[in-house]
Amino acid sequence: MAELIAQTAKLAHSTAVSLLAHSQIKEGAKIPEILLKDNPETATVKVHDTPGKILIVGVPGAFTPPCSSQVPGYIENYQKSRVVKFVDKGFGGIYIVSVNDAFVMNAWKEKLAPQGTPVHFVADDTAHFVSALGLVMDATGLLGGPRSKRFVIIAQDGKVVRVKVEDEAPNVTVTKADAILAESEI
């Protein structure tokens, strides 16, 4: 009986991810008009309405080892005294998005940037945003349910300029801050 329940639960999670999934967003497309949360009470972050050039960095889970090693590169390279930084390349904001609640995202931000940071940590607690981007995956085995694929979107005035997605969630190669900064055309 327990095996049957486990199989049914696994099937239900896989079905939920399939229902949530859309085709992957493409260059030139508009960022979905879905609010994200930077505080626990209300969804207030409108990345789709943010003027100028921004980065949206999707990660599978706050506090996971690969994500906790990837995100500091964005914090360190945003505006600190580095040779080339995201501000120098015209970025007005960096948004770290994960399918976690706002409490978790705020705690993770405090852990990674105890002195504060202008990098925004926002919650997609229902996975609607990453689903609308077509960047949701089934992480039931490790993280308990649907999660964000690891991705970076460069957006300009609400439209996608470039999309980078890792082949495997644990990998941090094409979405690494230094790799994004190194692209001459961004």
Side-chain angles (χ1 to χ4, degrees), residues 1-180:
M1 183 66 163
E3 171 112 9
L4 179 61
I5 292 171
Q7 288 175 345
T8 303
K10 185 176 181 180
L11 179 62
H13 280 288
S14 295
T15 302
V17 171
S18 296
L19 291 172
L20 288 171
H22 295 94
S23 62
Q24 183 175 309
I25 196 161
K26 306 256 188 276
E27 294 176 6
K30 291 183 76 169
I31 299 294
E33 295 183 16
I34 295 173
L35 298 176
L36 299 169
K37 294 180 180 179
D38 60 354
N39 68 68
E41 288 81 33
T42 58
T44 57
V45 179
K46 302 175 181 180
V47 294
H48 60 278
D49 265 352
T50 305
K53 187 161 59 166
I54 64 168
L55 279 177
I56 303 168
V57 181
V59 296
F63 291 102
T64 62
C67 300
S68 292
S69 65
Q70 176 190 18
V71 171
Y74 288 95
I75 294 169
E76 293 164 7
N77 287 298
Y78 184 59
Q79 67 182 12
K80 293 188 178 181
S81 56
R82 305 265 301 184
V83 176
V84 177
K85 43 199 176 262
F86 287 108
V87 169
D88 294 336
K89 292 222 174 196
F91 286 94
I94 297 176
Y95 295 83
I96 309 297
V97 179
S98 185
V99 180
N100 287 106
D101 62 61
F103 292 105
V104 169
M105 293 302 286
N106 287 331
W108 193 36
K109 180 177 183 175
E110 289 174 18
K111 170 87 171 155
L112 295 178
Q115 306 305 317
T117 178
V119 173
H120 306 274
F121 284 62
V122 293
D124 180 16
D125 55 2
T126 60
H128 285 117
F129 183 71
V130 295
S131 295
L133 294 172
L135 295 168
V136 68
M137 67 174 182
D138 183 2
T140 302
L142 184 61
L143 299 173
R147 292 297 180 114
S148 172
K149 290 182 180 180
R150 189 175 310 281
F151 68 87
V152 172
I153 292 176
I154 299 169
Q156 176 80 42
D157 298 320
K159 287 196 175 181
V160 176
V161 174
R162 177 144 318 109
V163 181
K164 300 281 186 176
V165 183
E166 296 291 353
D167 291 334
E168 298 290 328
N171 296 346
V172 182
T173 54
V174 299
T175 61
K176 191 174 185 175
D178 289 338
I180 299 299

